Amino acid sequence: MGDVKRLVIRNYDPSTDRAGTEAVDGGCEVGQPGGMSLHADLLGDPVARIRHSPAYRMLVAETSGPGGRRIVGVIRGTVKSVATGKSCPGAPAFASVGYILGLRVSPSHRRMGIALSLVRELERWFALMGAEYAYMATDKSNEPSVRLFTARCGYSKFRTPSLLVHPVHAHRLRTPRRVRVLPLDARDAEQLYRRRFAHVEFFPADIGAVLGNKLSLGTFLAVADRGYQWRGVEHFLTSPPASWAVASLWDCGGVFRLEMRGASRIRRAAAAASRALDRAAKWMRVPSVPDFFRSFAGWFAYGLGGDGDDAALAAEALFASFVNKARGRAAAVAVEVAALDPLRRRLPHWRSLSCTEDLWCMKRLAGGADGWDWAKSAPGLSIFVDPREV
């Protein structure tokens, strides 16, 4: 406790703090003690996960004592304008929100109030930036994190989306034959998103910047009509097909790479054997396990939405096509969908790799003139997950 009395919360300094922050991040891997854990490599850039957001800040917690200075905690945050999903006539309602991610405290300095100090300092910055709300995401089984935000920081349990993950195989996934998948250019994609999804919760006001980012791999439209012909975005918006789905792809490998550590030799050998058989006999469609035990990249599908009786079928074809596109470029493709999203029922995924109930918590920072509180509102059918904050 003596070190904590000399605790300083300050901005991250890339010229001096890189090694210290990497040590904190590396000591907080995801997984059970003594079992497998998921290690994230930020490719030498601790700010990588927030760098592509319109406004961001990274803080470190530093102690000083007889042994010198030491970084024992880190936190990252972003601020942006997003749709609240609030039902109102005319234009969609937007709010400025702060997002908390990458909160880490060294195991040797936990239960000393450091995490709380980091959160409070970041919230002060949110307020200075005009944020009306703050939110965070965690695994619902992460009890210390849930207690910190709900019991000590005043956050409410807000949404429970699902992170669905499918591994990439040597063989191609089958896609519904009567669905056609088409690429859209960034301008058409932006217009489609703004006209059809601007009322969806967390839809970013700067969607154009997201779609135009170098890590965005494109936007694709799936139509449950094999003979459908694209005649431009205006024609689509005024005369849409009966059933369709749209989504975009993001290359997370340009920000971080993952590695599963702690796997037994038997598990590694079984996975390698499945890959060898898959490569040798693609016609067998072996559900092979990618080499997650070495550094690998992942892709993220975002902006998933659609309409029509067969929209879920179109979404299935779209996501399967993403997995096929990732062959040789990524080991897995993920998508996060709202708990009530009707498209989720047909999305291909492996339960063993997925998180069926993530937990988002939210807190109101500034009062609204009408008294409405987004943090206490009922969930909608869909949610827009910004790939810049994955």
PDB file of all heavy atoms in Angstrom, residues 154-183:
ATOM      1  N   GLY A 154     -20.918   3.376 -10.658  1.00  0.00           N
ATOM      2  CA  GLY A 154     -22.260   3.833 -10.981  1.00  0.00           C
ATOM      3  C   GLY A 154     -22.774   3.475 -12.361  1.00  0.00           C
ATOM      4  O   GLY A 154     -23.718   4.101 -12.844  1.00  0.00           O
ATOM      5  N   TYR A 155     -22.201   2.477 -12.999  1.00  0.00           N
ATOM      6  CA  TYR A 155     -22.667   2.048 -14.314  1.00  0.00           C
ATOM      7  C   TYR A 155     -23.829   1.065 -14.173  1.00  0.00           C
ATOM      8  O   TYR A 155     -23.947   0.355 -13.174  1.00  0.00           O
ATOM      9  CB  TYR A 155     -21.540   1.387 -15.108  1.00  0.00           C
ATOM     10  CG  TYR A 155     -20.504   2.361 -15.627  1.00  0.00           C
ATOM     11  CD1 TYR A 155     -19.658   3.048 -14.741  1.00  0.00           C
ATOM     12  CD2 TYR A 155     -20.361   2.611 -16.984  1.00  0.00           C
ATOM     13  CE1 TYR A 155     -18.713   3.947 -15.202  1.00  0.00           C
ATOM     14  CE2 TYR A 155     -19.414   3.503 -17.461  1.00  0.00           C
ATOM     15  CZ  TYR A 155     -18.593   4.166 -16.559  1.00  0.00           C
ATOM     16  OH  TYR A 155     -17.657   5.070 -17.025  1.00  0.00           O
ATOM     17  N   SER A 156     -24.674   1.027 -15.190  1.00  0.00           N
ATOM     18  CA  SER A 156     -25.780   0.069 -15.234  1.00  0.00           C
ATOM     19  C   SER A 156     -25.487  -0.998 -16.285  1.00  0.00           C
ATOM     20  O   SER A 156     -24.884  -0.701 -17.331  1.00  0.00           O
ATOM     21  CB  SER A 156     -27.087   0.780 -15.603  1.00  0.00           C
ATOM     22  OG  SER A 156     -27.401   1.791 -14.680  1.00  0.00           O
ATOM     23  N   LYS A 157     -25.903  -2.227 -16.000  1.00  0.00           N
ATOM     24  CA  LYS A 157     -25.807  -3.259 -17.023  1.00  0.00           C
ATOM     25  C   LYS A 157     -26.748  -2.863 -18.153  1.00  0.00           C
ATOM     26  O   LYS A 157     -27.932  -2.632 -17.941  1.00  0.00           O
ATOM     27  CB  LYS A 157     -26.191  -4.615 -16.436  1.00  0.00           C
ATOM     28  CG  LYS A 157     -25.199  -5.103 -15.387  1.00  0.00           C
ATOM     29  CD  LYS A 157     -25.587  -6.478 -14.841  1.00  0.00           C
ATOM     30  CE  LYS A 157     -24.583  -6.949 -13.798  1.00  0.00           C
ATOM     31  NZ  LYS A 157     -24.925  -8.283 -13.239  1.00  0.00           N
ATOM     32  N   PHE A 158     -26.214  -2.797 -19.360  1.00  0.00           N
ATOM     33  CA  PHE A 158     -26.900  -2.100 -20.433  1.00  0.00           C
ATOM     34  C   PHE A 158     -27.329  -3.015 -21.585  1.00  0.00           C
ATOM     35  O   PHE A 158     -28.501  -3.103 -21.916  1.00  0.00           O
ATOM     36  CB  PHE A 158     -25.982  -0.987 -20.936  1.00  0.00           C
ATOM     37  CG  PHE A 158     -26.548  -0.125 -22.024  1.00  0.00           C
ATOM     38  CD1 PHE A 158     -27.692   0.622 -21.823  1.00  0.00           C
ATOM     39  CD2 PHE A 158     -25.921  -0.054 -23.249  1.00  0.00           C
ATOM     40  CE1 PHE A 158     -28.215   1.428 -22.831  1.00  0.00           C
ATOM     41  CE2 PHE A 158     -26.417   0.750 -24.264  1.00  0.00           C
ATOM     42  CZ  PHE A 158     -27.576   1.486 -24.055  1.00  0.00           C
ATOM     43  N   ARG A 159     -26.390  -3.693 -22.205  1.00  0.00           N
ATOM     44  CA  ARG A 159     -26.697  -4.559 -23.342  1.00  0.00           C
ATOM     45  C   ARG A 159     -25.888  -5.854 -23.227  1.00  0.00           C
ATOM     46  O   ARG A 159     -24.821  -5.879 -22.602  1.00  0.00           O
ATOM     47  CB  ARG A 159     -26.369  -3.879 -24.678  1.00  0.00           C
ATOM     48  CG  ARG A 159     -27.135  -2.568 -24.917  1.00  0.00           C
ATOM     49  CD  ARG A 159     -28.608  -2.818 -25.156  1.00  0.00           C
ATOM     50  NE  ARG A 159     -29.336  -1.581 -25.462  1.00  0.00           N
ATOM     51  CZ  ARG A 159     -30.082  -0.920 -24.587  1.00  0.00           C
ATOM     52  NH1 ARG A 159     -30.181  -1.360 -23.329  1.00  0.00           N
ATOM     53  NH2 ARG A 159     -30.734   0.177 -24.936  1.00  0.00           N
ATOM     54  N   THR A 160     -26.389  -6.919 -23.833  1.00  0.00           N
ATOM     55  CA  THR A 160     -25.708  -8.220 -23.783  1.00  0.00           C
ATOM     56  C   THR A 160     -25.589  -8.793 -25.192  1.00  0.00           C
ATOM     57  O   THR A 160     -26.238  -9.778 -25.545  1.00  0.00           O
ATOM     58  CB  THR A 160     -26.456  -9.213 -22.882  1.00  0.00           C
ATOM     59  OG1 THR A 160     -27.826  -9.299 -23.326  1.00  0.00           O
ATOM     60  CG2 THR A 160     -26.416  -8.777 -21.427  1.00  0.00           C
ATOM     61  N   PRO A 161     -24.764  -8.189 -26.033  1.00  0.00           N
ATOM     62  CA  PRO A 161     -24.583  -8.718 -27.390  1.00  0.00           C
ATOM     63  C   PRO A 161     -23.785 -10.010 -27.384  1.00  0.00           C
ATOM     64  O   PRO A 161     -23.189 -10.393 -26.363  1.00  0.00           O
ATOM     65  CB  PRO A 161     -23.815  -7.593 -28.091  1.00  0.00           C
ATOM     66  CG  PRO A 161     -23.045  -6.939 -26.992  1.00  0.00           C
ATOM     67  CD  PRO A 161     -23.932  -7.006 -25.780  1.00  0.00           C
ATOM     68  N   SER A 162     -23.773 -10.683 -28.514  1.00  0.00           N
ATOM     69  CA  SER A 162     -23.027 -11.934 -28.663  1.00  0.00           C
ATOM     70  C   SER A 162     -21.897 -11.752 -29.666  1.00  0.00           C
ATOM     71  O   SER A 162     -22.114 -11.204 -30.754  1.00  0.00           O
ATOM     72  CB  SER A 162     -23.949 -13.056 -29.149  1.00  0.00           C
ATOM     73  OG  SER A 162     -24.950 -13.343 -28.202  1.00  0.00           O
ATOM     74  N   LEU A 163     -20.714 -12.212 -29.301  1.00  0.00           N
ATOM     75  CA  LEU A 163     -19.574 -12.234 -30.203  1.00  0.00           C
ATOM     76  C   LEU A 163     -19.500 -13.627 -30.816  1.00  0.00           C
ATOM     77  O   LEU A 163     -19.225 -14.605 -30.122  1.00  0.00           O
ATOM     78  CB  LEU A 163     -18.287 -11.908 -29.460  1.00  0.00           C
ATOM     79  CG  LEU A 163     -17.013 -11.890 -30.313  1.00  0.00           C
ATOM     80  CD1 LEU A 163     -17.057 -10.722 -31.305  1.00  0.00           C
ATOM     81  CD2 LEU A 163     -15.776 -11.797 -29.436  1.00  0.00           C
ATOM     82  N   LEU A 164     -19.771 -13.717 -32.110  1.00  0.00           N
ATOM     83  CA  LEU A 164     -19.795 -14.998 -32.813  1.00  0.00           C
ATOM     84  C   LEU A 164     -18.544 -15.123 -33.686  1.00  0.00           C
ATOM     85  O   LEU A 164     -18.229 -14.216 -34.463  1.00  0.00           O
ATOM     86  CB  LEU A 164     -21.054 -15.107 -33.678  1.00  0.00           C
ATOM     87  CG  LEU A 164     -22.387 -14.833 -32.948  1.00  0.00           C
ATOM     88  CD1 LEU A 164     -23.549 -14.963 -33.914  1.00  0.00           C
ATOM     89  CD2 LEU A 164     -22.548 -15.772 -31.758  1.00  0.00           C
ATOM     90  N   VAL A 165     -17.846 -16.238 -33.556  1.00  0.00           N
ATOM     91  CA  VAL A 165     -16.562 -16.432 -34.230  1.00  0.00           C
ATOM     92  C   VAL A 165     -16.577 -17.718 -35.040  1.00  0.00           C
ATOM     93  O   VAL A 165     -17.041 -18.758 -34.551  1.00  0.00           O
ATOM     94  CB  VAL A 165     -15.398 -16.477 -33.208  1.00  0.00           C
ATOM     95  CG1 VAL A 165     -14.060 -16.616 -33.927  1.00  0.00           C
ATOM     96  CG2 VAL A 165     -15.411 -15.243 -32.319  1.00  0.00           C
ATOM     97  N   HIS A 166     -16.075 -17.655 -36.258  1.00  0.00           N
ATOM     98  CA  HIS A 166     -15.930 -18.856 -37.088  1.00  0.00           C
ATOM     99  C   HIS A 166     -14.486 -18.970 -37.549  1.00  0.00           C
ATOM    100  O   HIS A 166     -13.907 -18.005 -38.047  1.00  0.00           O
ATOM    101  CB  HIS A 166     -16.849 -18.795 -38.308  1.00  0.00           C
ATOM    102  CG  HIS A 166     -17.080 -20.144 -38.936  1.00  0.00           C
ATOM    103  ND1 HIS A 166     -16.080 -20.847 -39.577  1.00  0.00           N
ATOM    104  CD2 HIS A 166     -18.183 -20.934 -38.992  1.00  0.00           C
ATOM    105  CE1 HIS A 166     -16.560 -21.995 -40.004  1.00  0.00           C
ATOM    106  NE2 HIS A 166     -17.835 -22.079 -39.661  1.00  0.00           N
ATOM    107  N   PRO A 167     -13.867 -20.136 -37.380  1.00  0.00           N
ATOM    108  CA  PRO A 167     -12.494 -20.310 -37.859  1.00  0.00           C
ATOM    109  C   PRO A 167     -12.437 -20.371 -39.377  1.00  0.00           C
ATOM    110  O   PRO A 167     -13.432 -20.666 -40.046  1.00  0.00           O
ATOM    111  CB  PRO A 167     -12.081 -21.654 -37.232  1.00  0.00           C
ATOM    112  CG  PRO A 167     -13.368 -22.405 -37.115  1.00  0.00           C
ATOM    113  CD  PRO A 167     -14.416 -21.374 -36.786  1.00  0.00           C
ATOM    114  N   VAL A 168     -11.271 -20.100 -39.919  1.00  0.00           N
ATOM    115  CA  VAL A 168     -11.055 -20.158 -41.363  1.00  0.00           C
ATOM    116  C   VAL A 168     -10.397 -21.494 -41.697  1.00  0.00           C
ATOM    117  O   VAL A 168      -9.394 -21.878 -41.083  1.00  0.00           O
ATOM    118  CB  VAL A 168     -10.170 -18.985 -41.821  1.00  0.00           C
ATOM    119  CG1 VAL A 168      -9.869 -19.091 -43.316  1.00  0.00           C
ATOM    120  CG2 VAL A 168     -10.849 -17.658 -41.490  1.00  0.00           C
ATOM    121  N   HIS A 169     -10.964 -22.192 -42.659  1.00  0.00           N
ATOM    122  CA  HIS A 169     -10.471 -23.514 -43.047  1.00  0.00           C
ATOM    123  C   HIS A 169      -9.754 -23.462 -44.389  1.00  0.00           C
ATOM    124  O   HIS A 169      -9.781 -22.435 -45.092  1.00  0.00           O
ATOM    125  CB  HIS A 169     -11.630 -24.501 -43.144  1.00  0.00           C
ATOM    126  CG  HIS A 169     -12.506 -24.557 -41.937  1.00  0.00           C
ATOM    127  ND1 HIS A 169     -12.031 -24.874 -40.686  1.00  0.00           N
ATOM    128  CD2 HIS A 169     -13.840 -24.322 -41.783  1.00  0.00           C
ATOM    129  CE1 HIS A 169     -13.030 -24.851 -39.811  1.00  0.00           C
ATOM    130  NE2 HIS A 169     -14.130 -24.507 -40.456  1.00  0.00           N
ATOM    131  N   ALA A 170      -9.162 -24.591 -44.770  1.00  0.00           N
ATOM    132  CA  ALA A 170      -8.597 -24.706 -46.120  1.00  0.00           C
ATOM    133  C   ALA A 170      -9.720 -24.834 -47.142  1.00  0.00           C
ATOM    134  O   ALA A 170      -9.623 -24.322 -48.257  1.00  0.00           O
ATOM    135  CB  ALA A 170      -7.657 -25.910 -46.202  1.00  0.00           C
ATOM    136  N   HIS A 171     -10.814 -25.519 -46.777  1.00  0.00           N
ATOM    137  CA  HIS A 171     -11.958 -25.641 -47.679  1.00  0.00           C
ATOM    138  C   HIS A 171     -12.863 -24.423 -47.564  1.00  0.00           C
ATOM    139  O   HIS A 171     -12.777 -23.659 -46.615  1.00  0.00           O
ATOM    140  CB  HIS A 171     -12.747 -26.918 -47.364  1.00  0.00           C
ATOM    141  CG  HIS A 171     -13.460 -26.883 -46.041  1.00  0.00           C
ATOM    142  ND1 HIS A 171     -12.879 -27.300 -44.860  1.00  0.00           N
ATOM    143  CD2 HIS A 171     -14.706 -26.447 -45.702  1.00  0.00           C
ATOM    144  CE1 HIS A 171     -13.728 -27.150 -43.866  1.00  0.00           C
ATOM    145  NE2 HIS A 171     -14.850 -26.620 -44.339  1.00  0.00           N
ATOM    146  N   ARG A 172     -13.714 -24.270 -48.544  1.00  0.00           N
ATOM    147  CA  ARG A 172     -14.655 -23.160 -48.545  1.00  0.00           C
ATOM    148  C   ARG A 172     -15.953 -23.574 -47.857  1.00  0.00           C
ATOM    149  O   ARG A 172     -16.398 -24.720 -47.977  1.00  0.00           O
ATOM    150  CB  ARG A 172     -14.975 -22.739 -49.990  1.00  0.00           C
ATOM    151  CG  ARG A 172     -13.779 -22.184 -50.747  1.00  0.00           C
ATOM    152  CD  ARG A 172     -14.152 -21.887 -52.197  1.00  0.00           C
ATOM    153  NE  ARG A 172     -15.196 -20.865 -52.279  1.00  0.00           N
ATOM    154  CZ  ARG A 172     -14.975 -19.574 -52.302  1.00  0.00           C
ATOM    155  NH1 ARG A 172     -13.731 -19.107 -52.236  1.00  0.00           N
ATOM    156  NH2 ARG A 172     -15.962 -18.707 -52.394  1.00  0.00           N
ATOM    157  N   LEU A 173     -16.550 -22.624 -47.131  1.00  0.00           N
ATOM    158  CA  LEU A 173     -17.858 -22.877 -46.550  1.00  0.00           C
ATOM    159  C   LEU A 173     -18.915 -22.836 -47.650  1.00  0.00           C
ATOM    160  O   LEU A 173     -18.812 -22.055 -48.599  1.00  0.00           O
ATOM    161  CB  LEU A 173     -18.204 -21.832 -45.488  1.00  0.00           C
ATOM    162  CG  LEU A 173     -17.334 -21.752 -44.231  1.00  0.00           C
ATOM    163  CD1 LEU A 173     -17.956 -20.766 -43.254  1.00  0.00           C
ATOM    164  CD2 LEU A 173     -17.179 -23.106 -43.588  1.00  0.00           C
ATOM    165  N   ARG A 174     -19.924 -23.651 -47.517  1.00  0.00           N
ATOM    166  CA  ARG A 174     -21.031 -23.598 -48.471  1.00  0.00           C
ATOM    167  C   ARG A 174     -21.868 -22.344 -48.205  1.00  0.00           C
ATOM    168  O   ARG A 174     -22.099 -21.954 -47.068  1.00  0.00           O
ATOM    169  CB  ARG A 174     -21.912 -24.842 -48.330  1.00  0.00           C
ATOM    170  CG  ARG A 174     -21.282 -26.121 -48.875  1.00  0.00           C
ATOM    171  CD  ARG A 174     -22.350 -27.208 -48.969  1.00  0.00           C
ATOM    172  NE  ARG A 174     -21.849 -28.433 -49.570  1.00  0.00           N
ATOM    173  CZ  ARG A 174     -21.456 -29.497 -48.885  1.00  0.00           C
ATOM    174  NH1 ARG A 174     -21.523 -29.472 -47.568  1.00  0.00           N
ATOM    175  NH2 ARG A 174     -21.015 -30.564 -49.496  1.00  0.00           N
ATOM    176  N   THR A 175     -22.334 -21.732 -49.278  1.00  0.00           N
ATOM    177  CA  THR A 175     -23.215 -20.574 -49.165  1.00  0.00           C
ATOM    178  C   THR A 175     -24.530 -20.888 -49.865  1.00  0.00           C
ATOM    179  O   THR A 175     -24.552 -21.633 -50.844  1.00  0.00           O
ATOM    180  CB  THR A 175     -22.587 -19.321 -49.796  1.00  0.00           C
ATOM    181  OG1 THR A 175     -22.281 -19.588 -51.163  1.00  0.00           O
ATOM    182  CG2 THR A 175     -21.300 -18.938 -49.068  1.00  0.00           C
ATOM    183  N   PRO A 176     -25.643 -20.354 -49.371  1.00  0.00           N
ATOM    184  CA  PRO A 176     -26.935 -20.600 -50.010  1.00  0.00           C
ATOM    185  C   PRO A 176     -26.896 -20.234 -51.495  1.00  0.00           C
ATOM    186  O   PRO A 176     -26.509 -19.116 -51.863  1.00  0.00           O
ATOM    187  CB  PRO A 176     -27.891 -19.684 -49.228  1.00  0.00           C
ATOM    188  CG  PRO A 176     -27.233 -19.520 -47.889  1.00  0.00           C
ATOM    189  CD  PRO A 176     -25.764 -19.499 -48.175  1.00  0.00           C
ATOM    190  N   ARG A 177     -27.297 -21.158 -52.347  1.00  0.00           N
ATOM    191  CA  ARG A 177     -27.137 -20.974 -53.792  1.00  0.00           C
ATOM    192  C   ARG A 177     -27.966 -19.826 -54.347  1.00  0.00           C
ATOM    193  O   ARG A 177     -27.585 -19.213 -55.340  1.00  0.00           O
ATOM    194  CB  ARG A 177     -27.499 -22.272 -54.517  1.00  0.00           C
ATOM    195  CG  ARG A 177     -26.506 -23.396 -54.258  1.00  0.00           C
ATOM    196  CD  ARG A 177     -26.829 -24.602 -55.126  1.00  0.00           C
ATOM    197  NE  ARG A 177     -25.842 -25.660 -54.957  1.00  0.00           N
ATOM    198  CZ  ARG A 177     -25.862 -26.805 -55.633  1.00  0.00           C
ATOM    199  NH1 ARG A 177     -26.844 -27.039 -56.495  1.00  0.00           N
ATOM    200  NH2 ARG A 177     -24.930 -27.710 -55.429  1.00  0.00           N
ATOM    201  N   ARG A 178     -29.101 -19.551 -53.750  1.00  0.00           N
ATOM    202  CA  ARG A 178     -29.963 -18.523 -54.339  1.00  0.00           C
ATOM    203  C   ARG A 178     -29.653 -17.119 -53.841  1.00  0.00           C
ATOM    204  O   ARG A 178     -30.395 -16.179 -54.126  1.00  0.00           O
ATOM    205  CB  ARG A 178     -31.437 -18.848 -54.092  1.00  0.00           C
ATOM    206  CG  ARG A 178     -31.896 -18.833 -52.658  1.00  0.00           C
ATOM    207  CD  ARG A 178     -33.333 -19.345 -52.597  1.00  0.00           C
ATOM    208  NE  ARG A 178     -33.908 -19.299 -51.269  1.00  0.00           N
ATOM    209  CZ  ARG A 178     -34.603 -18.285 -50.795  1.00  0.00           C
ATOM    210  NH1 ARG A 178     -34.792 -17.210 -51.549  1.00  0.00           N
ATOM    211  NH2 ARG A 178     -35.112 -18.321 -49.587  1.00  0.00           N
ATOM    212  N   VAL A 179     -28.542 -16.970 -53.124  1.00  0.00           N
ATOM    213  CA  VAL A 179     -28.127 -15.655 -52.636  1.00  0.00           C
ATOM    214  C   VAL A 179     -26.936 -15.166 -53.449  1.00  0.00           C
ATOM    215  O   VAL A 179     -25.968 -15.898 -53.662  1.00  0.00           O
ATOM    216  CB  VAL A 179     -27.753 -15.705 -51.137  1.00  0.00           C
ATOM    217  CG1 VAL A 179     -27.260 -14.339 -50.675  1.00  0.00           C
ATOM    218  CG2 VAL A 179     -28.948 -16.151 -50.310  1.00  0.00           C
ATOM    219  N   ARG A 180     -27.002 -13.929 -53.884  1.00  0.00           N
ATOM    220  CA  ARG A 180     -25.897 -13.314 -54.613  1.00  0.00           C
ATOM    221  C   ARG A 180     -25.229 -12.276 -53.728  1.00  0.00           C
ATOM    222  O   ARG A 180     -25.913 -11.458 -53.097  1.00  0.00           O
ATOM    223  CB  ARG A 180     -26.386 -12.650 -55.899  1.00  0.00           C
ATOM    224  CG  ARG A 180     -25.242 -12.104 -56.748  1.00  0.00           C
ATOM    225  CD  ARG A 180     -25.722 -11.435 -58.014  1.00  0.00           C
ATOM    226  NE  ARG A 180     -24.580 -11.018 -58.810  1.00  0.00           N
ATOM    227  CZ  ARG A 180     -24.645 -10.224 -59.872  1.00  0.00           C
ATOM    228  NH1 ARG A 180     -25.838  -9.760 -60.267  1.00  0.00           N
ATOM    229  NH2 ARG A 180     -23.565  -9.886 -60.532  1.00  0.00           N
ATOM    230  N   VAL A 181     -23.896 -12.312 -53.669  1.00  0.00           N
ATOM    231  CA  VAL A 181     -23.121 -11.368 -52.864  1.00  0.00           C
ATOM    232  C   VAL A 181     -22.395 -10.406 -53.795  1.00  0.00           C
ATOM    233  O   VAL A 181     -21.673 -10.832 -54.696  1.00  0.00           O
ATOM    234  CB  VAL A 181     -22.111 -12.096 -51.956  1.00  0.00           C
ATOM    235  CG1 VAL A 181     -21.280 -11.090 -51.159  1.00  0.00           C
ATOM    236  CG2 VAL A 181     -22.838 -13.042 -50.996  1.00  0.00           C
ATOM    237  N   LEU A 182     -22.594  -9.105 -53.560  1.00  0.00           N
ATOM    238  CA  LEU A 182     -22.028  -8.068 -54.414  1.00  0.00           C
ATOM    239  C   LEU A 182     -21.195  -7.096 -53.598  1.00  0.00           C
ATOM    240  O   LEU A 182     -21.577  -6.724 -52.487  1.00  0.00           O
ATOM    241  CB  LEU A 182     -23.149  -7.277 -55.100  1.00  0.00           C
ATOM    242  CG  LEU A 182     -24.201  -8.056 -55.884  1.00  0.00           C
ATOM    243  CD1 LEU A 182     -25.384  -7.163 -56.174  1.00  0.00           C
ATOM    244  CD2 LEU A 182     -23.596  -8.567 -57.174  1.00  0.00           C
ATOM    245  N   PRO A 183     -20.061  -6.629 -54.143  1.00  0.00           N
ATOM    246  CA  PRO A 183     -19.278  -5.584 -53.453  1.00  0.00           C
ATOM    247  C   PRO A 183     -19.885  -4.213 -53.721  1.00  0.00           C
ATOM    248  O   PRO A 183     -20.425  -3.957 -54.804  1.00  0.00           O
ATOM    249  CB  PRO A 183     -17.887  -5.718 -54.081  1.00  0.00           C
ATOM    250  CG  PRO A 183     -18.161  -6.216 -55.468  1.00  0.00           C
ATOM    251  CD  PRO A 183     -19.367  -7.121 -55.360  1.00  0.00           C
TER     252      PRO A 183
END
